[in-house]
Amino acid sequence: MHGERSTSDKLWLVLKGLAMGAANKVPGVSGGVVAFVAGFYEEFIYSLQHINKKAFGLLLHGRFKSFWMYINGPFLGLLILGMIISYFSVSKILDYLIIHYELYVWSAFFGMILGSIYYIAKDFGEWNRKYVAYLLLGIIAGISISFLEPAKENDNLIFVFFCGIIGVSGMTLPGLSGSFILILLGNYVLLLVDSVNALSDTIIDIFQWDFSFTDNQERIRLLKVIAMFSLGSLVGLVSLSHLLGYVIKKYKSATYAVIIGFIAGSLGVVWPWKEKLFVLSPTGEKQLDANGRAIISGYERYFPEQFSTEVFFAILFIIIGIFIVLSLDWYQKTKISQKHG
């Protein structure tokens, strides 16, 4: 836990939250990797661990300041603020970029994950047979998940609650993309696009003193969905952090070896060169979801056959992605040397 933070530190925390929120929304990318690379993963996990019986006791007795300090509120609050801002801003930009510049977006993320693997592995220490076995276990798990077939959309509220618990895993488990898991569960568009847009529209309506949405059954359905998803995410975030906090404390090196392997295994999900595969009807037409969008059944990955301008820019974005992650490392080293200088 940190003491009083400077204004620049507070701003950096909000920006880190922005990056985590954006990463969580991109299938194949994990917000936990951002926390890991940006150097606040353990503080994040241990802060969430403090949301427990003692915290609720402080809250119920009206000791709000004690509660806020006990859960490391100044840290969590700024981080979550960044994530919330991200969902209504950065993630919208990402949606646009993925639609119009998909290859380059995947290339940049592929590079960032490559950089992350190097960043986490360089300080691991000595590798022995046991840790190599854990590393391989992580790689196999990561690859296996990337080749699973997606399910169909399901708006049952109990299932949506379960999706919240699973979907938030990307924030606490580096390498496990919560968004990709939601694609596999069939609910990515429902939970991270449609319901977020419905909430955004509702907030705008309320600010304009327009409550006509209360008669809109589809809007109400989506608001119920995002409420249940948010509740599941909160439950998942707290329960997973307790489990991870214990595991990291007891088996730190083994946990890190599995995480490095998992991140490496997830590279297949963000491989830039891939074709979408769609669910087809018996007549060979693309099947559509309730909102008229073609349902994706998976991806077919390939290597580019010839070197073109597009391939050159894709490789350039992979290098930029690696550079972004390594520049974070350089920034932190400079900051540490300035403190000790």
Side-chain angles (χ1 to χ4, degrees):
M1 307 284 178
H2 292 284
E4 188 63 36
R5 296 175 195 272
S6 66
T7 305
S8 66
D9 282 344
K10 287 175 182 175
L11 182 63
W12 265 109
L13 262 180
V14 174
L15 290 172
K16 286 169 182 176
L18 272 169
M20 269 189 94
N24 276 325
K25 198 171 180 186
V26 179
V29 185
S30 157
V33 171
V34 174
F36 224 110
V37 172
F40 63 91
Y41 180 71
E42 286 189 33
E43 184 178 4
F44 179 57
I45 293 297
Y46 292 135
S47 299
L48 289 172
Q49 267 194 299
H50 278 212
I51 301 172
N52 52 24
K53 278 184 184 177
K54 186 179 175 180
F56 285 111
L58 291 169
L59 201 59
L60 289 169
H61 287 92
R63 295 174 62 188
F64 302 118
K65 192 176 179 182
S66 298
F67 164 79
W68 188 242
M69 297 315 292
Y70 178 72
I71 65 162
N72 200 11
F75 167 81
L76 280 180
L78 290 166
L79 206 58
I80 290 166
L81 173 66
M83 289 180 205
I84 292 167
I85 294 168
S86 170
Y87 270 94
F88 297 102
S89 59
V90 178
S91 57
K92 295 270 186 188
I93 298 164
L94 266 173
D95 288 344
Y96 173 84
L97 291 174
I98 285 174
I99 290 165
H100 294 90
Y101 305 99
E102 190 173 21
L103 175 65
Y104 303 141
V105 172
W106 288 127
S107 297
F109 280 120
F110 188 82
M112 286 168 83
I113 291 177
L114 274 178
S116 303
I117 294 166
Y118 164 76
Y119 180 90
I120 300 165
K122 71 180 171 61
D123 295 324
F124 183 83
E126 199 177 322
W127 287 90
N128 57 30
R129 279 184 184 178
K130 184 174 78 169
Y131 296 140
V132 169
Y134 282 123
L135 176 79
L136 291 171
L137 193 72
I139 291 170
I140 291 163
I143 291 169
S144 302
I145 287 172
S146 69
F147 285 99
L148 290 173
E149 289 286 312
K152 287 184 179 178
E153 187 172 291
N154 183 348
D155 68 352
N156 177 282
L157 292 180
I158 295 168
F159 183 70
V160 165
F161 178 79
F162 170 73
C163 285
I165 294 172
I166 298 296
V168 82
S169 59
M171 281 169 64
T172 49
L173 282 166
L176 182 63
S177 166
S179 299
F180 187 69
I181 296 296
L182 291 180
I183 286 178
L184 295 177
L185 293 171
N187 272 3
Y188 174 78
V189 172
L190 173 70
L191 299 174
L192 292 188
V193 181
D194 294 342
S195 61
V196 170
N197 289 342
L199 179 62
S200 186
D201 292 341
T202 303
I203 291 166
I204 291 164
D205 287 347
I206 289 168
F207 272 108
Q208 292 174 345
W209 217 246
D210 177 6
F211 294 93
S212 59
F213 68 86
T214 53
D215 298 320
N216 185 332
Q217 286 187 327
E218 179 61 12
R219 179 81 70 85
I220 298 299
R221 178 185 78 93
L222 290 170
L223 290 175
K224 283 179 184 174
V225 162
I226 199 166
M228 192 56 82
F229 178 64
S230 301
L231 183 63
S233 298
L234 186 64
V235 169
L237 203 57
V238 174
S239 55
L240 272 171
S241 65
H242 278 77
L243 175 66
L244 276 165
Y246 171 80
V247 171
I248 289 169
K249 213 170 192 175
K250 283 269 189 182
Y251 316 101
K252 187 171 181 175
S253 294
T255 306
Y256 278 27
V258 173
I259 285 170
I260 293 164
F262 216 103
I263 296 169
S266 72
L267 279 169
V269 182
V270 287
W271 177 250
W273 293 278
K274 57 188 173 217
E275 291 286 339
K276 288 189 184 85
L277 300 175
F278 298 98
V279 176
L280 302 176
S281 67
T283 57
E285 293 176 350
K286 289 177 187 174
Q287 289 202 339
L288 307 177
D289 62 18
N291 295 290
R293 280 181 289 249
I295 303 166
I296 298 168
S297 66
Y299 295 96
E300 190 177 303
R301 296 160 186 87
Y302 64 92
F303 282 96
E305 289 179 2
Q306 56 187 34
F307 192 81
S308 61
T309 309
E310 193 181 60
V311 171
F312 168 78
F313 278 109
I315 293 167
L316 180 66
F317 276 102
I318 290 173
I319 294 164
I320 289 168
I322 294 169
F323 179 78
I324 288 167
V325 173
L326 296 185
S327 63
L328 273 171
D329 185 28
W330 298 330
Y331 168 77
Q332 283 183 323
K333 279 178 181 170
T334 308
K335 206 174 171 187
I336 290 164
S337 64
Q338 282 173 350
K339 274 184 181 177
H340 294 290

